Every structure is written in structure tokens, then in C-alpha cells.
Amino acid sequence: MLHAAKHPTPQSGRVKFSSSNSEEANPPEYEAFKGVIPRAPTTRALSVLSVDMLVADNMDAHNTSSYKNTNLIVRRNKEFIIVIRFDQPFNNQQDNVQLEFMIGNSPTENKGTYITVYIGKERRGGRWKGRVIGTQNNDVTVGITPDASCIIGRFNTFVTVMTDVGKQRTPRNPDTDFYVLFNPWDPADVVYMPRDNERQEYVMNDVGIIYNGEFNNIAPRSWNYGQFEEGILDACLLVLDAGKVPLLYRGNAIELVRQGSALMNSQDDDGVLVGNWSGDYSIGTSPTAWTGSPEILLKYAKDGGLPVCFAQCWVYAGVLNTFLRCLGIPTRVITNYSSAHDNTGNLKTDIILEEDGTVNRSRTRDSVWNYHSWNEVYMRRPDLPEKYSGWQVVDSTPQETSDGLYRCGPTSVIAIKEGELSYPFDARFVFAEVNSDVVYYQSDKYGNSNIISVDTTNVGKLIVTKRVNSNDYEDITSTYKYPEGSDQDKQAMQMAERRGVPARDYTKPAETGVAIELQADTIRIGENFKLTLNIKNQTSQKCTLNATITGCVVYYTGVTSSIFKLDTTKVMIDVAASEYMPYRVEQSNLLFVVYGRIQETGTALTTTRVVAPRPPDLTIKVTGAPRVGKDFMVTVSFRNPFNFILNNVQLRLESPGLILTRLKTYALQDIYRSTER
């Protein structure tokens, strides 16, 4: 019997197998061919002594050397090389050897989970290609090429010697297992990305920036994707296993992306992350506290697939980015400023105002998020006309169900731009996120409401992503929509209506010739500021405008919290920090709604402005020259913007490649308000 002697050489990846040649030892066991009566072999059978996976060389060639993993990792449709050592010279004309690669609990050939590659005298075609590159003494160098659509995941390796009495197979050994990933370097793979600088950014870059804030005040948030960190690849495969994703789907990039969208949230399938927008995170981690994906994915794996608490949209997008890049799919995080969440699906975001101009929270179901983050994946879409390949939207934040699960996409960005919403998946929902009209209604005390204003330009005002090889953002709004009001924009809307989007048949209020705009400076938390109401009369008549400005704290999702100011003004008002600071909630902004009425005509006007106070900057200073194996000092400083002492402040520090997926949490005491400006 063959016994595994697990002594792989780290440099070579060779795994040895041993069997005794002593006459007293038991002879090798054979798996008999069906219907063949075994008889004693006339010659000594060829035996496998070791298999060298050539881990380092193969991973360099396959652009996988960044993965912190002791097993071989290769990419589809690219040859990798192994060396098999036998107990005697291999004869290509007489010996019959097959390599068997298996994945899953019940591998079968017709499902692509049992792969056989033949070398020697018996030559058969199969899903994967194999060839003998050369022989030297008892060593045989073999090239193996997984097909361009094979299943991604971890495969077991067996070498089987075929004789006239049966099969002699090497035992199972985890050290000869290897992973197969998608291959964006190869034109035959559906995830092929032709430009190398883009592959380096969207596949190989393990850190990045996710943009928050609002369109007038973009705030970058650094994020550690960490797709190459130790344990992350196995954690990503565990996500698929825990979600019971059939192996058959795992070679299909479209299906895998769609499944991944559902599996990032726990809404209906115990996925990776639990969403929470309540402000109460006492039983988990606040979404704003996460600094990267590795901690989340490793915790999910360590806890056996128990969902991690908590997440909001940018956390979902960051972790999905890690998941897909780790598996080899080009992916990037997108931020859409003024993103509509259209619950009714009518391409209108309905905002109901009371008679005094405040938002009626009970009747307003739709919302406009200050920003919303999702992902784009780059792939060919064989299921669609060729022009709709390229970047595809995929969103794992649980907002609406799609085919019974909380997921969204993949849907073609080009199709969204052209209003071609009949193709899968979820194009109509994404189209609404970037194209909805914001319709303001005034409600009277009897519950009746009338349209007082329609804003066709607010939603999808700015769409950004991290620029290739830069920490600046790139404006990609034009990839999603044509210029507002252009002929192409109108044609896209007409196409959308032909594909089932309700026509804009609501009655818009008559043009008044008077325009109002609310302006505010960029501020930091704790600062006073001024609001300026600009009024532009484009008529030849005198107009008297009575206006009310309502200020309320609003979550970044557009859901209002507490009203902190109600003022009647004509030009300018001062907003003191003492007015809004007591009402602030996490990730909150300040929403100001202007409601006015022209005395001479009775016509109503309204406009809004979101002010996003920026948090204090963190300054990081390294003292001394960092050296491998030596401690060094890192100083992190910030100013307390509040008029009270901060207690039990937690500082989470993560350093990709230095502090390996471990975060340091420090409890800081007694941070006093800074008097500096």
C-alpha cells in the first residue's frame, strides 16, 4: 500500500510518497478494472515517489504570488507545471499514467468536478489539457492547463498508474491541493481585462479608497481589501460553501457574482454581514469602525459562517470587492451621490411636506441617500448583445429582493445609460437610483397633497470611483447617464418607458420665473456656519417671497431624525453649532428644506440643501526609520470638536502586511476640547 510521507520541501513544493520494496512487505493495492479478473503483474509496476507542485515558480507565472498561502494557486486557461518522480524511468510509449483532479464531496466527470488528464501511451482528450514537457532520470515534467470555464475553487490531486490489473492511485494529500481562480489576463476568460494598469488596480491592488460625504463635500475613506492575506481565499470559498452555491455555478462568472451579491448580506441566507442603520451597535461593531475586509471575513470563517455585526452600504461594497478580487474578478467600488431609493418603482422619489415645509416622515416612503456605494465588475456578457459587456453593476446592500433574495445585479452600465432595461439583472432598480425625479408634495391637514416642485437633476448628481494608480477620485457619471436634458438623455428615457418604466405623466407645477437656491459653506463638526438663500426673479414683475427654512438631522440614507431649527427668513440665517450638535446621530448630516410661497400669485417653491459636517482629521506620524523586526512609534492625533470631554475613545489601527489582519484597539481617556482652530 502507498503511504503519504508529508515532507514537502518549501522551496520546491515536492510531496513524497513511500512504499517498501521488501519481499516481506505487503504488495501495492490495486483498484481492479470492472469486469477484469486480476492476475499477478508480470513486471514490477511503476510507483509514484513524489509530486512537486513547483509552487513558487507557478505562482509567479500565474500572478498569484501575492497570496499568503502554502498551496499552489493558478488561473484558468494557463498552463502550470508539476514534476512527478517515479521509482523508475517513465516510458512514454509503454507506461500509462493519469492525473486526477477532484473538487467537492461527490466529484463526477460530467459536472466538471472530476478531471482526468492522461500522459503516456493512452491519449484521450478532456476538459483540461496535459502534456509531457520532458523527462530526466525518474522525473517527469508535466504541463496542465485548466479550461477557460472551469470551476474555481480548491482541487485535490491524485496520480494514478494504470496497469493490466488495475489502478494504483496516490493517497489523498492536502499538500498537493491547489486552487484555480478566474483569469483576467487571458482573452478566453469572460473576466479578461485588456489593460495591465487596470488589472493592477482592479485585481491586484489590496488597498483602496471608498468615497463618502456628499457631492459638494466628498470624503475619502481608506479601506484595506486584503484579498491576499492569509486565510482570506479559504474564507471566500467558505462563503460559497455556507451559501450552498452549487459547484456547477462556480465556473460561471455571471452566476457567481449574482450569488456573491446575495451572500454578502444576512437578510435571507445567513450571509457575511448584518445590516444596521438604527444607531444601536451595542451587540456588534459600528459600521464606521471597520477599516477593512480581512477582519470581517476571518471572523465569519472562524465563527463557522455566523453573520458579522454590523454593516452599511460602504462596508458591504468593501467586503464584496475583496471577495471578488480574491477570486480573480476585476472589481471596483462606486459611490453614487444623491442616490434614490425608489420603493414604489415608479421612477419618482416622493417627498411629502407638511404645510410648514417640514418633511412628513410617516407618509414619505422614498428617500434620497446622500451617497450609496455599490460595486462594478468587469466581464463579458455572453447572455447579452456584445455591446453590453464591460462594467456591470452589482450591489450587496439589502434594499429590494431580486428573484426572491436580497441582491442586485449584475446589470450592464451601458444598458443603464441607454435605458435598455429589459436585460438581466435588476436594471430598472439601478436606473431609478441614478435617474429618479424628486417630486415634492405639500400635504394639508386633511391628508390631501399637491405637487409643488419637481427636481429632475438632483438624483445621480455625481458618480465616482477611485482613479487608477491614484488616490484621487474619477468622475464616471457620464458612463451611467447622458447630460441632463440632452437629446440622448430624452431618448434613453423614452427607451426606459418602452421597457416598462412608468411615463412621467404627472402634472408639474407651472413655471414661476422665480428660482431659489440654498447655499452653505463646507464645515467641520462643531463649527458655526451661515445659510444663504439666493432668490432669482426672472420675470418683470415684483415678487414677494415668504420662506421658511427647516433644519433637521438626517441619516446618510435620507431618513430624517430630529428637527433642530425652524426659521422664517428672506436672505440669510446663522446656524450655531449649539443648535445642531445635541441632535447629531452617527453618520448624520444636516438637511435644510426651504419652503416658500409667492404672495402675489400664491405659487409654492421648495428646495433642499444637505450640509455634511466633516469629522476631525486624524494625523498619523511615524517616529524613526521603520526596520524589519524592530518596534517603532506611531503617533495618531486629532482635535476634539465637542464642548465636552471624550471618554473611552477607541482607536482601531490596521496595517496591511505589518499587522496581519489583527487590529489594535486602544481605550483613550479624557480627551478635552481643543481651543485651536
Side-chain angles (χ1 to χ4, degrees):
M1 180 178 293
L2 293 176
H3 301 281
K6 302 179 183 178
H7 303 296
T9 304
Q11 291 82 2
S12 66
R14 183 182 296 279
V15 178
K16 298 179 180 179
F17 305 97
S18 63
S19 59
S20 174
N21 291 324
S22 169
E23 293 181 0
E24 288 79 22
N26 293 325
E29 288 187 354
Y30 292 92
E31 180 183 330
F33 290 113
K34 186 176 181 181
V36 175
I37 300 174
R39 64 179 185 274
T42 57
T43 59
R44 186 167 65 87
L46 193 69
S47 294
V48 179
L49 298 182
S50 65
V51 176
D52 189 342
M53 302 301 288
L54 298 178
V55 174
D57 291 342
N58 280 317
M59 290 178 66
D60 281 343
H62 284 250
N63 299 291
T64 58
S65 58
S66 296
Y67 287 87
K68 294 179 175 63
N69 199 303
T70 57
N71 286 83
L72 175 61
I73 303 172
V74 301
R75 297 190 186 274
R76 305 197 301 189
N77 206 46
K78 184 174 179 61
E79 184 179 70
F80 65 94
I81 298 170
I82 64 174
V83 177
I84 306 170
R85 176 167 292 175
F86 296 100
D87 64 341
Q88 56 187 288
F90 174 78
N91 189 315
N92 198 41
Q93 302 302 316
Q94 296 179 7
D95 293 321
N96 192 6
V97 176
Q98 64 184 36
L99 305 179
E100 299 172 323
F101 306 109
M102 306 180 192
I103 188 171
N105 295 324
S106 302
T108 57
E109 191 170 0
N110 64 340
K111 292 184 178 180
T113 54
Y114 174 78
I115 306 294
T116 304
V117 174
Y118 297 86
I119 61 173
K121 67 178 182 179
E122 184 176 354
R123 305 290 178 85
R124 300 184 196 174
R127 291 175 181 261
W128 295 15
K129 297 176 184 177
R131 67 186 181 107
V132 175
I133 296 175
T135 60
Q136 184 177 10
N137 298 324
N138 295 350
D139 291 349
V140 181
T141 303
V142 181
I144 307 294
T145 306
D147 69 284
S149 60
C150 84
I151 293 167
I152 60 101
R154 180 168 176 153
F155 284 81
N156 311 140
T157 302
F158 300 91
V159 181
T160 302
V161 177
M162 313 290 289
T163 73
D164 54 357
V165 295
K167 299 180 179 180
Q168 178 186 340
R169 177 184 286 123
T170 56
R172 165 85 170 88
N173 192 308
D175 294 325
T176 59
D177 289 356
F178 65 97
Y179 301 83
V180 179
L181 306 180
F182 292 100
N183 192 354
W185 280 262
D186 190 273
D189 201 307
V190 296
V191 302
Y192 171 63
M193 177 169 268
R195 296 186 180 91
D196 183 66
N197 64 330
E198 293 185 342
R199 287 194 298 263
Q200 294 305 315
E201 180 68 52
Y202 302 130
V203 181
M204 302 301 291
N205 198 349
D206 58 354
V207 293
I209 294 174
I210 302 175
Y211 296 97
N212 294 170
E214 53 103 21
F215 78 95
N216 277 322
N217 189 9
I218 296 174
R221 177 187 292 272
S222 297
W223 194 264
N224 174 27
Y225 298 123
Q227 66 267 33
F228 305 124
E229 297 292 337
E230 184 178 356
I232 295 301
L233 177 54
D234 287 320
C236 292
L237 296 177
L238 174 67
V239 171
L240 297 174
D241 292 339
K244 298 180 173 57
V245 178
L247 288 169
L248 194 62
Y249 288 174
R250 302 189 193 184
N252 184 329
I254 299 170
E255 188 61 45
L256 187 141
V257 166
R258 184 155 173 77
Q259 295 283 343
S261 169
L263 293 172
M264 287 304 105
N265 67 74
S266 65
Q267 199 77 2
D268 41 32
D269 50 15
D270 289 333
V272 176
L273 285 158
V274 179
N276 186 347
W277 285 263
S278 71
D280 180 6
Y281 311 116
S282 56
I283 63 171
T285 300
S286 167
T288 57
W290 300 115
T291 56
S293 308
E295 185 187 13
I296 294 169
L297 287 167
L298 293 175
K299 178 174 174 54
Y300 179 79
K302 180 182 177 182
D303 294 344
L306 184 68
V308 178
C309 301
F310 292 104
Q312 292 176 6
C313 70
W314 73 92
V315 182
Y316 284 116
V319 177
L320 182 59
N321 213 62
T322 299
F323 174 79
L324 295 174
R325 284 189 186 181
C326 185
L327 299 180
I329 299 176
T331 314
R332 62 187 185 181
V333 177
I334 307 300
T335 298
N336 176 35
Y337 289 99
S338 296
S339 186
H341 186 181
D342 179 14
N343 281 286
T344 53
N346 59 2
L347 213 62
K348 292 197 291 104
T349 300
D350 299 327
I351 308 297
I352 315 298
L353 304 180
E354 301 285 9
E355 288 183 291
D356 61 3
T358 58
V359 177
N360 185 317
R361 296 170 61 185
S362 63
R363 295 183 60 191
T364 300
R365 294 184 56 214
D366 296 339
S367 60
V368 178
W369 295 30
N370 291 343
Y371 66 88
H372 177 50
S373 296
W374 60 65
N375 300 82
E376 286 180 0
V377 295
Y378 193 89
M379 65 173 61
R380 191 164 63 250
R381 290 293 299 267
D383 57 328
L384 304 182
E386 185 176 353
K387 65 182 292 186
Y388 298 119
S389 292
W391 289 113
Q392 314 285 317
V393 173
V394 56
D395 191 347
S396 57
T397 300
Q399 297 180 91
E400 302 291 336
T401 58
S402 173
D403 295 333
L405 296 175
Y406 280 91
R407 57 185 172 184
C408 180
T411 188
S412 167
V413 173
I414 295 175
I416 297 300
K417 182 174 183 176
E418 295 186 351
E420 180 49 86
L421 310 183
S422 60
Y423 295 125
F425 299 89
D426 311 308
R428 182 166 166 174
F429 182 81
V430 178
F431 186 83
E433 287 184 299
V434 299
N435 283 294
S436 279
D437 291 345
V438 181
V439 182
Y440 295 93
Y441 298 80
Q442 184 185 42
S443 175
D444 61 24
K445 60 183 178 181
Y446 303 107
N448 302 314
S449 57
N450 297 307
I451 296 176
I452 59 173
S453 178
V454 177
D455 189 343
T456 62
T457 64
N458 183 61
V459 168
K461 186 164 288 188
L462 177 65
I463 305 171
V464 302
T465 190
K466 179 184 175 299
R467 187 180 298 276
V468 173
N469 198 30
S470 170
N471 287 331
D472 295 331
Y473 70 83
E474 179 183 0
D475 182 351
I476 60 169
T477 311
S478 61
T479 66
Y480 279 82
K481 53 199 300 188
Y482 291 105
E484 187 70 35
S486 67
D487 290 342
Q488 291 170 309
D489 177 52
K490 295 174 183 177
Q491 292 169 7
M493 187 58 63
Q494 291 169 358
M495 173 63 77
E497 291 174 359
R498 289 197 294 270
R499 296 295 182 255
V501 170
R504 294 173 169 174
D505 55 1
Y506 45 86
T507 303
K508 296 182 181 180
E511 293 292 336
T512 63
V514 178
I516 58 175
E517 180 187 24
L518 197 58
Q519 292 184 332
D521 295 330
T522 299
I523 64 166
R524 296 189 180 278
I525 293 174
E527 292 183 341
N528 303 330
F529 62 98
K530 293 183 182 295
L531 283 174
T532 302
L533 180 62
N534 292 331
I535 306 170
K536 187 174 183 179
N537 184 0
Q538 298 172 315
T539 72
S540 58
Q541 306 296 319
K542 176 184 176 181
C543 295
T544 304
L545 178 67
N546 295 325
T548 300
I549 298 180
T550 304
C552 61
V553 173
V554 60
Y555 294 92
Y556 87 96
T557 57
V559 177
T560 57
S561 179
S562 303
I563 295 175
F564 66 85
K565 193 172 188 67
L566 187 64
D567 200 353
T568 300
T569 186
K570 290 186 178 180
V571 181
M572 181 182 297
I573 60 172
D574 293 315
V575 180
S578 59
E579 294 182 275
Y580 67 82
M581 289 295 283
Y583 300 98
R584 278 185 53 81
V585 293
E586 188 203 39
Q587 278 282 100
S588 64
N589 297 312
L590 309 177
L591 171 66
F592 294 92
V593 179
V594 180
Y595 172 72
R597 187 174 293 276
I598 300 174
Q599 287 185 359
E600 289 79 4
T601 63
T603 305
L605 298 173
T606 189
T607 190
T608 63
R609 177 62 188 263
V610 173
V611 177
R614 300 189 66 169
D617 291 331
L618 291 178
T619 302
I620 301 177
K621 181 181 179 181
V622 176
T623 303
R627 297 181 183 275
V628 175
K630 301 293 184 180
D631 294 343
F632 63 95
M633 180 71 70
V634 176
T635 303
V636 180
S637 59
F638 68 95
R639 294 176 179 175
N640 177 10
F642 301 100
N643 59 1
F644 51 83
I645 299 172
L646 298 180
N647 296 307
N648 298 319
V649 176
Q650 289 188 328
L651 174 65
R652 298 166 65 89
L653 178 64
E654 184 174 15
S655 182
L658 295 177
I659 303 175
L660 298 178
T661 65
R662 293 180 291 116
L663 285 90
K664 300 289 186 181
T665 303
Y666 304 92
L668 308 178
Q669 300 287 337
D670 300 343
I671 299 179
Y672 293 85
R673 176 178 173 85
S674 171
T675 57
E676 300 178 47
R677 279 296 180 209

